[in-house]
């Protein structure tokens, strides 16, 4: 756990190193220059600067933090956002009486940092930060007959089911991590906070979906370790206090709510991975097309040969943003650091990351039958990751960001796919023989390029490597084009 | 290469979130019970080779699915070609018992099996290790009502198990395997096997002696 002085030192060193420039800071993160190996690294700074303050100027932090914290504060004060702990059975470890449950939020207003007390003067800015909360959930909206106070609202059947669903998942959150073990002294309060954030978040965003709990859990885990109570002494300078407020443990929940909103909602990840099934299917189609453009052979092998539909395995990759594939929390967090600092659209970048992961295990993938292949995909081999996590993550980010940059140029995608194959599968050679019957698409290509087709059937006569490559390239491109057309047609 | 035909049986485990589907699968396949498994997101999948009827080797492909969400169109990929479906509930959670019928309906709609009347289902009531005071009151009667309801009843074999203490898990899966095998043979007899276009036009060559990608 970081001490106050350490925090201040880390933050100041980081700001100094990047000259207070946000873009320099972000590119340092994505390029691997600012990681947990960096002596003055602090993850809180990465996440809160990228997703809340959007500035490395400490003078701007206070008001931006306030604007974001007030949103969650207001939401938790509303009666209909009250977590109905009292509806649980009395012997449940999360049970609280109604009085206890509603008391807690009152205490919040007396919290020490005092920033929340300024709410009335700041209402205009609150409206802006509420942009992501659905309009009719705006606590300041007048359409609701004023905010219901806690005692007036009785939770519905769905509210109780929502709470039970969240508890069920929070109780089995990262069972392998000591931090979340029930015997830890902080366990109950940590879980209660997580449940409350999820409950409020779900009520603002049309319900709870499994997976969001792990995303929140990982971010919480990372930031909890660095958060501190603000010391009640006069010996801290004004500037130092501004820095420490970013780490205020009193507002950990508030900040996590904002971060979860930014990471999932603003990024578009919720819409593409969670919101509804047709969006999810569109995302998976998009993935399939990208995969075909980058590594046609993996695509062919999975979809045409094994008939292994991507939705059988990819849902977890997407929804947990690779958390289960990358196995340990610290390594995943280091990847997510890059995601939040990246200029790329997060869900699109994730699709390219998945393709890079597939290319890395290509040899095994294409030598497997259906069962083996699906097992491999659902239990992604961790050997390479644990061998050198930092390199693995840096390569994963760099490769997929390159692909992302080429996303609108099919030829470049194809070429970069070849490059990745040369890098990760140098011993793998795939030869294609389209002589078997029933391949109408191929014969039509051959009739177009008769020169090439005679050569390929002539076998050994293709001796110059360049010629061979040239031909392979042309054939793949034509097939690619045709396939892309046939895949895109029904969508229009 | 294609002449050696392995018997592959696809088993789907369904049921509400938290009833212990993953635990059952893990207990059966790996003989272990970790105190808690993470929530299954999307699907999971394990296989196990077993011998049934003393001499018949089969590969059980066990598909575990998330209990919280029901995917309409994604379901087709999960359920297609299933040979047996296991409907799970938690003996301490009455709602999970009452939802068995809707899980069965879900399966029949999605899998589009040709013989819904006699497709093999089995019911597993898990967590019998939990203290009796926590169990559904008059469980046997309620279970009987559900399984013997004349209109669309779930008249299937019922196993009460504990994935935690490894009670009845092996026995249940043995029955599942036998039922699945019958179903598979039935399918084969009616000529439903379309999966023989495995003659692959693409050959894979590995240069040198490299064995795999070094993962």
């Amino acid at each position: 756990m970081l001490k106050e002085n350490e925090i201040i030192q880390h933050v100041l060193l980081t700001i100094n190193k990047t000259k207070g420039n946000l873009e320099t800071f972000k590119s340092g993160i994505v390029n691997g220059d600012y990681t947990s190996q960096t002596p003055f690294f602090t993850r809180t700074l990465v996440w809160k600067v990228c997703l809340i303050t959007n500035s490395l100027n400490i003078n701007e932090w206070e008001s931006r933090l306030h604007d974001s914290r007030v949103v969650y504060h207001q939401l938790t004060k509303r009666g209909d956002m009250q977590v109905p702990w009292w509806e649980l059975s009395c012997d449940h470890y999360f049970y609280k009486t109604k009085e206890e449950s509603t008391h807690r939020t009152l205490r919040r207003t007396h919290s020490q940092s005092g920033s929340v007390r300024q709410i009335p003067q700041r209402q205009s800015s609150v409206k802006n930060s509420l942009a992501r909360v659905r309009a009719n959930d705006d606590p300041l909206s007048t359409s609701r007959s004023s905010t219901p106070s806690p005692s007036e609202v009785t939770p519905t059947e769905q509210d109780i089911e929502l709470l039970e669903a969240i508890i069920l998942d929070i109780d089995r959150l990262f069972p392998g991590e000591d931090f979340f073990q029930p015997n830890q002294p902080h366990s109950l309060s940590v879980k209660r906070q997580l449940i409350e954030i999820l409950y409020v978040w779900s009520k603002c965003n049309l319900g709870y979906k499994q997976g969001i709990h792990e995303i929140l859990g990982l971010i919480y885990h990372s930031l909890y370790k660095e958060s501190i109570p603000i010391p009640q002494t006069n010996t801290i300078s004004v500037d130092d206090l501004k820095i420490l407020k970013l780490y205020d443990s009193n507002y950990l929940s508030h900040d996590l709510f904002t971060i979860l909103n930014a990471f999932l909602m603003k990024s578009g990840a919720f819409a593409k991975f969670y919101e509804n099934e047709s969006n999810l299917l569109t995302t998976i189609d998009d993935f399939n097309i990208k995969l075909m453009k980058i590594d046609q052979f993996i695509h062919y092998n999975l979809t045409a040969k094994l008939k292994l539909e991507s939705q059988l395995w990819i849902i977890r990759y997407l929804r947990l943003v690779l958390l289960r594939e990358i196995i340990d929390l610290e390594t995943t967090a280091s990847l997510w650091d890059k995601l939040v600092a990246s200029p790329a659209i997060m869900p699109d970048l994730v699709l390219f990351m998945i393709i890079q992961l597939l290319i890395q295990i290509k040899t095994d993938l294409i030598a497997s039958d259906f069962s083996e292949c699906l097992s491999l995909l659902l239990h992604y081999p961790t050997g390479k990751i644990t061998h050198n996590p930092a390199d693995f993550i840096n390569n994963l980010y760099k490769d997929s960001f390159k692909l992302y940059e080429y996303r609108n140029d099919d030829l470049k995608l194809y070429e970069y796919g070849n490059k990745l194959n040369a890098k990760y599968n140098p011993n793998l050679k795939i030869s294609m023989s389209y002589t078997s019957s029933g391949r109408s698409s191929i014969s039509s290509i051959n009739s177009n390029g008769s020169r090439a087709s005679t050569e390929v059937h002539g076998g050994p006569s293709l001796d110059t490597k360049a010629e061979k490559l040239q031909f392979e390239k042309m054939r793949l491109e034509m097939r690619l084009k045709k396939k892309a057309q046939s895949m895109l047609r029904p969508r229009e | 290469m294609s002449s050696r035909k392995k018997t592959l049986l696809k088993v789907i485990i369904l049921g509400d979130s938290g009833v212990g589907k993953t635990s059952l699968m893990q207990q059966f396949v790996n003989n272990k019970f970790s105190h808690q498994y993470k929530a299954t997101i999307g699907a999971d999948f394990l296989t196990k080779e077993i011998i049934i009827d003393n001499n018949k080797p089969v590969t059980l492909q066990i598909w575990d699915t998330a209990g919280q969400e029901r995917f309409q169109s994604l379901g087709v990929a999960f359920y297609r070609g299933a040979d047996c479906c296991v409907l799970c509930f938690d003996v301490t959670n009455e709602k999970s018992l009452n939802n068995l019928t809707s899980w069965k309906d879900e399966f029949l709609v999605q899998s589009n099996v040709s013989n819904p009347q006699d497709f093999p289902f089995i019911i597993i009531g898990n967590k019998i290790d939990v203290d009796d005071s926590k169990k559904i009151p008059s469980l046997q009667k309620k279970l009987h009502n559900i399984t013997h309801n004349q209109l669309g009843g779930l008249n299937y074999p019922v196993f009460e198990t504990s994935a935690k203490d490894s009670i009845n898990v092996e026995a249940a899966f043995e029955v599942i395997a036998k039922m699945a095998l019958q179903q598979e043979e039935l399918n084969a007899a009616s000529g439903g096997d379309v999966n023989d276009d495995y003659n692959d036009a693409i050959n894979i060559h590995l240069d040198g002696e490299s064995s795999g990608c070094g993962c």
Side-chain angles (χ1 to χ4, degrees):
Chain A
M1 212 172 258
L2 293 173
K3 287 266 180 9
E4 293 110 56
N5 287 339
E6 259 181 294
I7 288 176
I8 294 165
Q9 194 196 15
H10 286 197
V11 170
L12 290 177
L13 273 169
T14 309
I15 293 175
N16 185 39
K17 203 86 179 171
T18 56
K19 304 195 170 57
N21 184 309
L22 185 63
E23 291 316 311
T24 314
F25 178 59
K26 285 184 175 178
S27 61
I29 299 166
V30 297
N31 293 331
D33 301 329
Y34 191 67
T35 67
S36 49
Q37 261 79 35
T38 313
F40 48 89
F41 177 79
T42 139
R43 182 152 287 139
T44 303
L45 193 66
V46 173
W47 283 74
K48 295 196 180 176
V49 164
C50 292
L51 299 181
I52 302 177
T53 70
N54 207 28
S55 162
L56 270 181
N57 179 351
I58 57 168
N59 292 316
E60 296 186 36
W61 287 358
E62 192 169 9
S63 73
R64 295 195 185 174
L65 282 174
H66 174 274
D67 289 351
S68 100
R69 286 168 180 177
V70 78
V71 175
Y72 187 67
H73 172 80
Q74 294 261 358
L75 286 170
T76 53
K77 265 176 61 182
R78 286 168 45 158
D80 57 338
M81 294 286 170
Q82 252 349 270
V83 183
W85 304 110
W86 63 90
E87 297 283 354
L88 299 169
S89 75
C90 326
D91 58 348
H92 197 288
Y93 40 91
F94 286 124
Y95 174 83
K96 274 203 231 179
T97 64
K98 192 167 185 181
E99 204 177 27
E100 284 170 328
S101 306
T102 47
H103 225 72
R104 211 172 108 260
T105 34
L106 293 177
R107 202 194 61 213
R108 276 234 178 88
T109 44
H110 302 298
S111 81
Q112 41 193 322
S113 101
S115 57
V116 169
R117 265 177 260 152
Q118 306 156 19
I119 289 165
Q121 296 99 297
R122 289 193 155 270
Q123 287 195 347
S124 60
S125 60
V126 172
K127 272 221 156 104
N128 292 331
S129 23
L130 270 173
R132 287 308 308 182
V133 178
R134 291 191 322 128
N136 57 352
D137 286 326
D138 186 335
L140 306 172
S141 129
T142 46
S143 63
R144 263 172 204 269
S145 52
S146 80
T147 309
S149 82
S151 50
E152 290 166 22
V153 176
T154 39
T156 64
E157 185 90 355
Q158 282 107 321
D159 290 340
I160 299 162
E161 276 176 19
L162 172 64
L163 176 60
E164 285 170 348
I166 293 172
I167 290 177
L168 184 66
D169 286 344
I170 288 297
D171 268 342
R172 47 181 171 166
L173 180 65
F174 305 130
E177 290 290 320
D178 284 344
F179 180 80
F180 293 101
Q181 288 301 310
N183 55 11
Q184 294 286 320
H186 57 247
S187 167
L188 206 61
S189 69
V190 161
K191 288 186 174 170
R192 220 184 262 286
Q193 272 194 323
L194 288 168
I195 292 165
E196 185 174 44
I197 298 168
L198 282 174
Y199 185 84
V200 174
W201 194 83
S202 302
K203 293 204 74 167
C204 295
N205 294 300
L206 306 165
Y208 168 72
K209 296 255 169 88
Q210 286 183 316
I212 296 169
H213 70 296
E214 284 194 23
I215 293 191
L216 176 69
L218 174 53
I219 306 171
Y220 187 97
H221 177 65
S222 303
L223 303 191
Y224 180 93
K225 289 186 289 190
E226 295 186 344
S227 70
I228 48 152
I230 302 295
Q232 297 296 294
T233 56
N234 307 329
T235 53
I236 303 172
S237 77
V238 181
D239 276 355
D240 286 354
L241 199 61
K242 283 178 188 163
I243 292 173
L244 291 180
K245 278 186 177 170
L246 195 72
Y247 292 76
D248 191 344
S249 55
N250 247 318
Y251 291 102
L252 184 62
S253 291
H254 301 63
D255 291 350
L256 271 155
F257 183 80
T258 307
I259 288 171
L260 189 64
N261 245 341
F263 190 64
L264 282 180
M265 302 300 289
K266 281 190 193 156
S267 71
F270 185 82
K272 287 186 177 166
F273 303 162
Y274 280 97
E275 194 164 357
N276 58 51
E277 201 180 321
S278 83
N279 285 10
L280 186 59
L281 278 177
T282 307
T283 306
I284 295 174
D285 283 345
D286 186 24
F287 167 81
N288 288 333
I289 292 171
K290 287 185 163 86
L291 175 62
M292 187 196 47
K293 289 175 177 175
I294 296 161
D295 195 316
Q296 198 204 8
F297 191 64
I298 296 180
H299 178 266
Y300 164 81
N301 196 64
L302 292 180
T303 58
K305 188 181 152 203
L306 297 179
K307 299 195 169 54
L308 195 163
E309 280 147 283
S310 305
Q311 53 263 43
L312 293 175
W313 55 274
I314 206 172
I315 297 175
R316 190 180 67 205
Y317 282 59
L318 298 173
R319 288 204 163 170
L320 295 184
V321 197
L322 305 179
L323 199 161
R324 295 253 180 106
E325 283 60 52
I326 296 175
I327 298 296
D328 77 294
L329 298 189
E330 174 56 34
T331 312
T332 310
S334 70
L335 177 68
W336 290 8
D337 290 343
K338 296 182 197 297
L339 285 179
V340 300
S342 175
I345 296 166
M346 188 267 256
D348 292 350
L349 187 58
V350 171
L351 295 185
F352 290 115
M353 287 184 171
I354 297 172
I355 293 172
Q356 195 262 20
L357 289 175
L358 296 192
I359 291 176
Q360 291 204 55
I361 57 166
K362 182 173 181 175
T363 310
D364 289 343
L365 273 185
I366 61 180
S368 301
D369 66 16
F370 182 95
S371 293
E372 292 163 341
C373 195
L374 187 57
S375 291
L376 196 60
L377 291 165
L378 284 170
H379 313 113
Y380 191 84
T382 55
K384 275 188 190 164
I385 306 176
T386 47
H387 178 64
N388 188 340
D391 272 4
F392 185 90
I393 295 299
N394 276 330
N395 284 325
L396 177 57
Y397 179 81
K398 279 183 185 155
D399 293 340
S400 48
F401 188 72
K402 263 278 181 274
L403 292 169
Y404 175 85
E405 285 184 310
Y406 295 150
R407 65 194 178 283
N408 295 321
D409 186 334
D410 290 356
L411 184 61
K412 282 197 168 145
L413 280 180
Y414 168 76
E415 284 170 349
Y416 205 74
N418 283 345
K419 214 168 155 184
L420 290 180
N421 269 299
K423 180 170 162 190
Y424 295 109
N425 308 302
N427 297 324
L428 185 67
K429 297 277 183 298
I430 292 158
S431 67
M432 311 228 177
S433 56
Y434 288 117
T435 47
S436 60
S437 57
R439 292 194 170 264
S440 54
S441 67
I442 301 310
S443 52
S444 76
I445 289 173
N446 284 349
S447 63
N448 292 338
S450 53
R451 183 190 72 94
S453 73
T454 50
E455 269 178 353
V456 75
H457 293 141
S461 71
L462 259 193
D463 38 20
T464 67
K465 216 172 181 180
E467 226 178 331
K468 210 169 178 176
L469 276 174
Q470 184 60 34
F471 168 67
E472 281 296 321
K473 199 174 148 196
M474 183 213 68
R475 188 168 55 183
L476 275 169
E477 277 161 19
M478 297 198 68
R479 218 187 133 189
L480 200 65
K481 202 171 144 194
K482 200 171 160 87
K483 192 79 181 264
Q485 281 167 348
S486 71
M487 283 181 89
L488 291 168
R489 210 172 296 129
R491 305 240 145 246
E492 281 156 14
Chain B
M1 245 184 95
S2 59
S3 61
R4 204 189 81 230
K5 200 169 174 191
K6 233 184 349 183
T7 305
L8 251 180
L9 303 174
K10 179 169 176 179
V11 176
I12 311 277
I13 308 184
L14 297 177
D16 282 5
S17 180
V19 300
K21 299 181 291 298
T22 305
S23 303
L24 282 164
M25 180 175 81
Q26 288 286 351
Q27 178 58 259
F28 173 66
V29 174
N30 296 322
N31 297 313
K32 66 174 184 187
F33 177 82
S34 137
H35 191 62
Q36 275 176 327
Y37 289 99
K38 298 169 188 169
T40 304
I41 310 292
D44 206 347
F45 173 91
L46 287 177
T47 59
K48 186 171 180 168
E49 313 255 342
I50 59 166
I51 309 280
I52 44 178
D53 300 336
N54 291 323
N55 56 5
K56 175 94 179 146
V58 296
T59 304
L60 278 189
Q61 238 183 32
I62 304 169
W63 294 58
D64 177 23
T65 51
Q68 194 212 16
E69 230 174 318
R70 301 182 190 191
F71 295 111
Q72 292 307 313
S73 44
L74 300 185
V76 179
F78 291 135
Y79 300 152
R80 190 181 44 218
D83 297 307
C84 181
C85 177
V86 183
L87 304 169
C88 296
F89 72 100
D90 168 356
V91 296
T92 68
N93 176 346
E94 188 157 354
K95 207 188 291 166
S96 72
L97 174 66
N98 295 330
N99 278 338
L100 290 180
T101 311
S102 76
W103 280 114
K104 175 200 161 185
D105 294 344
E106 170 84 4
F107 174 81
L108 289 177
V109 169
Q110 301 281 355
S111 64
N112 199 18
V113 292
S114 54
N115 57 335
Q117 296 305 316
D118 45 32
F119 184 85
F121 284 94
I122 85 154
I123 296 172
I124 288 186
N126 190 34
K127 306 193 189 179
I128 54 165
D129 53 277
V130 175
D131 191 77
D132 279 346
S133 64
K134 299 256 183 191
K135 286 183 187 156
I136 305 170
S138 45
L139 170 62
Q140 293 312 325
K141 202 173 138 228
K142 284 169 186 159
L143 196 57
H144 186 270
N145 286 344
I146 287 178
T147 52
H148 289 78
N149 180 349
Q150 289 303 307
L151 301 165
L154 302 172
N155 197 0
Y156 305 123
V158 178
F159 282 84
E160 297 197 3
T161 64
S162 162
K164 188 180 171 201
D165 296 342
S166 188
I167 301 170
N168 264 344
V169 179
E170 198 87 19
F173 275 95
E174 196 171 311
V175 172
I176 291 164
K178 285 181 183 171
M179 288 168 67
L181 184 63
Q182 271 177 5
Q183 172 68 16
E184 169 73 16
E185 283 164 352
L186 203 73
N187 277 350
S190 61
D193 220 355
V194 286
N195 234 358
D196 52 10
D197 55 349
Y198 266 74
N199 35 6
D200 186 14
I202 298 182
N203 304 308
I204 301 155
H205 298 292
L206 289 177
D207 275 7
E209 313 239 301
S210 150
S211 57
C213 65
C215 314

